[in-house]
Amino acid sequence: QVQLVESGGGLVQPGGSLTLSCVASGISISNYLMAWFRQAPGEEREFIARISNWATRNSVDSERGQFSISRDNNKNTVYRQIQRLKPEDPAVYFCRAGDPPQYWGQGRQVTVSS
């Protein structure tokens, strides 16, 4: 059974930083393009960033300079670093394996509050 399990996140103060992790089981992420998505309350899920098998990164323009994505194939884990969190950043963050999509994590809530 394939599982993607996100961790990290939770409550963060404005301007703070956090790292989300997505650990895969049942697959080897080295064979997959990995991506992060976010879904704000009342909004559709939207793409944020992706990283290929060869660690080529792509992200939406608003993400560059603030967010980053990385992977550790030995740990079967993909990471998302978020810096300088803003009030509009709260959302549920999802990781995904494959393009076309094959597997999704269950999501991890990030709340920004002082």
Side-chain angles (χ1 to χ4, degrees):
Q1 182 180 1
V2 177
Q3 282 190 310
L4 301 179
V5 180
E6 297 98 338
S7 62
L11 178 63
V12 184
Q13 291 187 341
S17 303
L18 63 84
T19 297
L20 298 171
S21 301
C22 173
V23 181
S25 60
I27 60 170
S28 173
I29 69 165
S30 62
N31 297 322
Y32 292 85
L33 181 147
M34 301 297 294
W36 283 97
F37 287 70
R38 65 187 295 270
Q39 187 168 17
E43 303 290 333
E44 293 188 354
R45 194 172 300 184
E46 61 180 1
F47 166 79
I48 303 173
R50 65 184 180 185
I51 184 167
S52 73
N53 309 49
W54 304 275
T56 299
R57 297 171 175 81
N58 299 97
S59 62
V60 297
D61 289 344
S62 62
E63 302 292 311
R64 292 176 182 147
Q66 182 181 8
F67 305 152
S68 66
I69 185 172
S70 60
R71 65 192 297 157
D72 186 336
N73 290 339
N74 291 328
K75 295 182 178 180
N76 225 24
T77 301
V78 62
Y79 303 97
R80 171 151 180 74
Q81 297 82 33
I82 311 176
Q83 300 177 3
R84 301 188 299 277
L85 281 153
K86 302 176 182 178
E88 59 266 30
D89 288 328
V92 178
Y93 288 77
F94 298 87
C95 68
R96 188 191 79 182
D99 187 16
Q102 292 183 260
Y103 307 104
W104 287 92
Q106 82 287 352
R108 188 70 175 177
Q109 177 71 51
V110 173
T111 302
V112 181
S113 176
S114 56

